[in-house]
Amino acid sequence: VILPDGLECFVVDNPNVSAFTDFALVSRKEGRIIRKMTDVVTLREERTDSSLLCLMKEVEALGSPSDLAVIVCGDVDASAISAKLKYMSYMIPSGVSLPVASYPEKGLTPVRMMREGTSHPEMSQVRAEWTTLRTPENLVGTIQKAVYDKAVYEFGQAVCSRVRSGLRRKDIAYGDVVFRHVGSTETYGDEHLSVSATVADDDVAQTVETIKEAISEVNEYGVPAAELEILENRYFAHLTTLSSNFERSNASYVKRCMSAFLFGTPVMSSKVALDFHKSRSISPQVREKVFSTVAAALVDMEEVGIKDRVSQVSVNLSDTLAFPDCNPEIKVSLRSSKKDPMSGSFVWTFSNGFKV
């Protein structure tokens, strides 16, 4: 709802919570939440009113209501909250809308291979990362965005499956193999995609080739219809999980409303998206063609060498020991931690061979 002074408001009556409400103020110029009150007990009307007054006071101080949005999600009477916000908005001048800085477009960039250190001294994370143009604003709320998001998810799962198979064929032990997509509904600027695997340092070179081969294969050849059906069912399971777990919290609704305000995303639950996809009757041939079109446009496989990037890993102070009669700069690091099956306690082995 857009109020008389230009302020936009989103009010959600969350049936999954009782007595608690989240309040947030979002700035379009800054692209983020600039004020948030979480788990406010709103059993008494006075608490709700005071929270709304705090937000509206900040709206008045900022002086450009049309660049702001108030979000209220929780155990509330949506119509009553909307009426109160409308009444309060009459007391705030509309102000002048400030221009939103445009983001630098890189568009589709070549895949870069990165190697980062991990908390384990002999393990590395190998990551392929690249960007592609965001979905145009006028298409974010259309069927095209829903179809695109599904195809990107399936692309990531297909690549990860090939990375795992490739590493097993080369007898390479691996940790997590993860695909990540930061899309147009989560950030300004280009969309970011990455595929990563955690392996031993000695296996980095082979892992780089495995990841590149997997991305290139899906990018160039797509996937067979039978595999695509499996990937589609996996996407449906993903939406089902989101709708049954994540979307029960006030925070999840605040995030969706913020995305709707900043990026024009439809305020649509994962269940609605799931019902939409399941209601469409598409032949395997058309489904395969749509996937192949997205996959082909998603990646630039120009040859790019691996780049080392050392990252700072947060280490708990209990992970190192310093001895009083030694150089204080020399520390002993934790090599392994193993649970004893008999006692249930943990045995720590340090880099100097000591066990505790």
Short mmCIF file of all heavy atoms in Angstrom, two decimals, residues 121 312 315-335 350-354:
data_model
loop_
_atom_site.label_atom_id
_atom_site.label_comp_id
_atom_site.label_asym_id
_atom_site.label_seq_id
_atom_site.Cartn_x
_atom_site.Cartn_y
_atom_site.Cartn_z
N PRO A 121 44.32 -26.80 7.78
CA PRO A 121 45.55 -26.34 7.12
C PRO A 121 45.89 -27.06 5.82
O PRO A 121 46.68 -26.56 5.03
CB PRO A 121 46.63 -26.60 8.18
CG PRO A 121 46.05 -27.64 9.09
CD PRO A 121 44.58 -27.39 9.11
N GLN A 312 40.84 -14.77 5.50
CA GLN A 312 41.00 -14.83 6.94
C GLN A 312 39.93 -15.75 7.52
O GLN A 312 38.75 -15.52 7.34
CB GLN A 312 40.85 -13.43 7.55
CG GLN A 312 41.00 -13.38 9.06
CD GLN A 312 42.40 -13.72 9.51
OE1 GLN A 312 43.36 -13.34 8.86
NE2 GLN A 312 42.52 -14.43 10.60
N VAL A 315 39.14 -18.27 13.97
CA VAL A 315 39.57 -19.44 14.74
C VAL A 315 39.23 -19.22 16.19
O VAL A 315 39.54 -18.17 16.77
CB VAL A 315 41.10 -19.67 14.59
CG1 VAL A 315 41.53 -20.87 15.42
CG2 VAL A 315 41.47 -19.85 13.14
N ASN A 316 38.58 -20.18 16.80
CA ASN A 316 38.27 -20.11 18.21
C ASN A 316 39.57 -20.14 19.01
O ASN A 316 40.51 -20.85 18.66
CB ASN A 316 37.38 -21.29 18.59
CG ASN A 316 36.84 -21.16 20.00
OD1 ASN A 316 37.58 -21.26 20.96
ND2 ASN A 316 35.54 -20.96 20.11
N LEU A 317 39.64 -19.37 20.10
CA LEU A 317 40.88 -19.32 20.88
C LEU A 317 41.26 -20.68 21.44
O LEU A 317 42.42 -20.93 21.74
CB LEU A 317 40.72 -18.31 22.02
CG LEU A 317 40.59 -16.84 21.60
CD1 LEU A 317 40.39 -15.96 22.83
CD2 LEU A 317 41.84 -16.41 20.84
N SER A 318 40.31 -21.57 21.61
CA SER A 318 40.62 -22.89 22.13
C SER A 318 41.31 -23.78 21.12
O SER A 318 41.77 -24.86 21.43
CB SER A 318 39.33 -23.59 22.60
OG SER A 318 38.46 -23.79 21.50
N ASP A 319 41.43 -23.29 19.86
CA ASP A 319 42.08 -24.09 18.82
C ASP A 319 43.60 -23.97 18.83
O ASP A 319 44.28 -24.60 18.06
CB ASP A 319 41.57 -23.67 17.43
CG ASP A 319 40.14 -24.10 17.23
OD1 ASP A 319 39.67 -24.93 18.01
OD2 ASP A 319 39.50 -23.59 16.30
N THR A 320 44.16 -23.09 19.65
CA THR A 320 45.61 -22.93 19.71
C THR A 320 46.08 -22.93 21.14
O THR A 320 45.34 -22.56 22.07
CB THR A 320 46.06 -21.61 19.05
OG1 THR A 320 45.43 -20.53 19.74
CG2 THR A 320 45.67 -21.56 17.58
N LEU A 321 47.32 -23.37 21.36
CA LEU A 321 47.91 -23.38 22.69
C LEU A 321 49.27 -22.70 22.63
O LEU A 321 50.04 -22.94 21.71
CB LEU A 321 48.10 -24.81 23.21
CG LEU A 321 46.82 -25.60 23.54
CD1 LEU A 321 47.20 -27.00 23.99
CD2 LEU A 321 46.04 -24.91 24.65
N ALA A 322 49.60 -21.90 23.62
CA ALA A 322 50.92 -21.29 23.73
C ALA A 322 51.54 -21.76 25.04
O ALA A 322 50.86 -21.83 26.08
CB ALA A 322 50.81 -19.77 23.71
N PHE A 323 52.81 -22.13 25.02
CA PHE A 323 53.48 -22.63 26.21
C PHE A 323 54.33 -21.52 26.81
O PHE A 323 55.04 -20.80 26.09
CB PHE A 323 54.34 -23.84 25.87
CG PHE A 323 53.52 -25.00 25.39
CD1 PHE A 323 53.40 -25.27 24.03
CD2 PHE A 323 52.83 -25.81 26.28
CE1 PHE A 323 52.64 -26.33 23.58
CE2 PHE A 323 52.07 -26.86 25.83
CZ PHE A 323 51.97 -27.13 24.48
N PRO A 324 54.33 -21.35 28.16
CA PRO A 324 54.99 -20.22 28.80
C PRO A 324 56.50 -20.17 28.60
O PRO A 324 57.09 -19.11 28.60
CB PRO A 324 54.62 -20.39 30.28
CG PRO A 324 54.25 -21.83 30.42
CD PRO A 324 53.65 -22.22 29.11
N ASP A 325 57.15 -21.31 28.45
CA ASP A 325 58.60 -21.33 28.32
C ASP A 325 59.04 -21.33 26.86
O ASP A 325 60.19 -21.59 26.55
CB ASP A 325 59.19 -22.54 29.04
CG ASP A 325 58.61 -23.85 28.54
OD1 ASP A 325 57.52 -23.79 27.89
OD2 ASP A 325 59.20 -24.89 28.79
N CYS A 326 58.12 -21.05 25.93
CA CYS A 326 58.45 -21.02 24.51
C CYS A 326 58.25 -19.60 23.98
O CYS A 326 57.70 -18.73 24.65
CB CYS A 326 57.55 -21.98 23.73
SG CYS A 326 57.77 -23.71 24.19
N ASN A 327 58.73 -19.39 22.80
CA ASN A 327 58.48 -18.12 22.11
C ASN A 327 56.98 -17.91 22.02
O ASN A 327 56.26 -18.74 21.46
CB ASN A 327 59.11 -18.18 20.71
CG ASN A 327 58.99 -16.85 20.00
OD1 ASN A 327 58.10 -16.05 20.28
ND2 ASN A 327 59.89 -16.61 19.07
N PRO A 328 56.46 -16.80 22.54
CA PRO A 328 54.99 -16.59 22.53
C PRO A 328 54.41 -16.50 21.14
O PRO A 328 53.21 -16.63 20.95
CB PRO A 328 54.81 -15.27 23.29
CG PRO A 328 56.12 -14.58 23.17
CD PRO A 328 57.15 -15.66 23.15
N GLU A 329 55.24 -16.26 20.13
CA GLU A 329 54.74 -16.17 18.76
C GLU A 329 54.52 -17.55 18.15
O GLU A 329 53.87 -17.70 17.13
CB GLU A 329 55.73 -15.38 17.88
CG GLU A 329 55.91 -13.93 18.30
CD GLU A 329 54.62 -13.17 18.20
OE1 GLU A 329 53.89 -13.39 17.22
OE2 GLU A 329 54.34 -12.36 19.09
N ILE A 330 55.14 -18.60 18.75
CA ILE A 330 55.01 -19.95 18.22
C ILE A 330 53.83 -20.63 18.89
O ILE A 330 53.79 -20.76 20.12
CB ILE A 330 56.30 -20.77 18.44
CG1 ILE A 330 57.48 -20.07 17.76
CG2 ILE A 330 56.14 -22.19 17.94
CD1 ILE A 330 58.80 -20.74 18.01
N LYS A 331 52.89 -21.08 18.12
CA LYS A 331 51.70 -21.74 18.67
C LYS A 331 51.52 -23.13 18.10
O LYS A 331 52.02 -23.43 17.02
CB LYS A 331 50.45 -20.90 18.39
CG LYS A 331 50.44 -19.57 19.14
CD LYS A 331 49.13 -18.87 18.95
CE LYS A 331 49.09 -17.58 19.75
NZ LYS A 331 47.79 -16.90 19.59
N VAL A 332 50.83 -23.94 18.84
CA VAL A 332 50.53 -25.30 18.40
C VAL A 332 49.08 -25.32 17.95
O VAL A 332 48.19 -24.92 18.69
CB VAL A 332 50.74 -26.30 19.56
CG1 VAL A 332 50.43 -27.71 19.10
CG2 VAL A 332 52.18 -26.21 20.07
N SER A 333 48.85 -25.79 16.73
CA SER A 333 47.49 -25.80 16.20
C SER A 333 46.84 -27.16 16.38
O SER A 333 47.52 -28.19 16.50
CB SER A 333 47.50 -25.43 14.71
OG SER A 333 48.25 -26.38 13.99
N LEU A 334 45.53 -27.15 16.39
CA LEU A 334 44.75 -28.38 16.52
C LEU A 334 44.73 -29.11 15.18
O LEU A 334 44.35 -28.55 14.16
CB LEU A 334 43.32 -28.04 16.95
CG LEU A 334 42.36 -29.22 17.16
CD1 LEU A 334 42.81 -30.07 18.34
CD2 LEU A 334 40.94 -28.70 17.39
N ARG A 335 45.19 -30.37 15.18
CA ARG A 335 45.24 -31.14 13.94
C ARG A 335 43.94 -31.91 13.72
O ARG A 335 43.42 -31.98 12.61
CB ARG A 335 46.42 -32.11 13.97
CG ARG A 335 46.54 -32.97 12.71
CD ARG A 335 47.68 -33.97 12.84
NE ARG A 335 48.96 -33.29 12.93
CZ ARG A 335 50.09 -33.92 13.29
NH1 ARG A 335 50.06 -35.20 13.61
NH2 ARG A 335 51.22 -33.25 13.34
N PHE A 350 47.21 -32.47 18.59
CA PHE A 350 47.82 -31.21 18.16
C PHE A 350 48.96 -31.46 17.18
O PHE A 350 49.41 -32.59 17.00
CB PHE A 350 48.30 -30.41 19.37
CG PHE A 350 47.18 -29.95 20.25
CD1 PHE A 350 46.73 -30.73 21.31
CD2 PHE A 350 46.54 -28.74 20.02
CE1 PHE A 350 45.69 -30.32 22.11
CE2 PHE A 350 45.49 -28.33 20.81
CZ PHE A 350 45.06 -29.11 21.84
N SER A 351 49.41 -30.38 16.50
CA SER A 351 50.40 -30.51 15.45
C SER A 351 51.75 -31.01 15.96
O SER A 351 52.57 -31.50 15.19
CB SER A 351 50.59 -29.15 14.75
OG SER A 351 50.94 -28.15 15.68
N ASN A 352 52.00 -30.92 17.27
CA ASN A 352 53.26 -31.46 17.82
C ASN A 352 53.11 -32.90 18.32
O ASN A 352 54.03 -33.45 18.91
CB ASN A 352 53.74 -30.56 18.97
CG ASN A 352 52.76 -30.53 20.14
OD1 ASN A 352 51.67 -31.11 20.07
ND2 ASN A 352 53.13 -29.83 21.20
N GLY A 353 51.94 -33.48 18.06
CA GLY A 353 51.73 -34.88 18.44
C GLY A 353 51.08 -35.08 19.77
O GLY A 353 50.67 -36.20 20.13
N PHE A 354 50.95 -34.03 20.58
CA PHE A 354 50.32 -34.16 21.90
C PHE A 354 48.83 -34.48 21.72
O PHE A 354 48.16 -33.97 20.85
CB PHE A 354 50.47 -32.86 22.69
CG PHE A 354 51.84 -32.65 23.25
CD1 PHE A 354 52.89 -33.51 22.97
CD2 PHE A 354 52.09 -31.59 24.11
CE1 PHE A 354 54.13 -33.31 23.49
CE2 PHE A 354 53.36 -31.38 24.63
CZ PHE A 354 54.40 -32.24 24.33
#
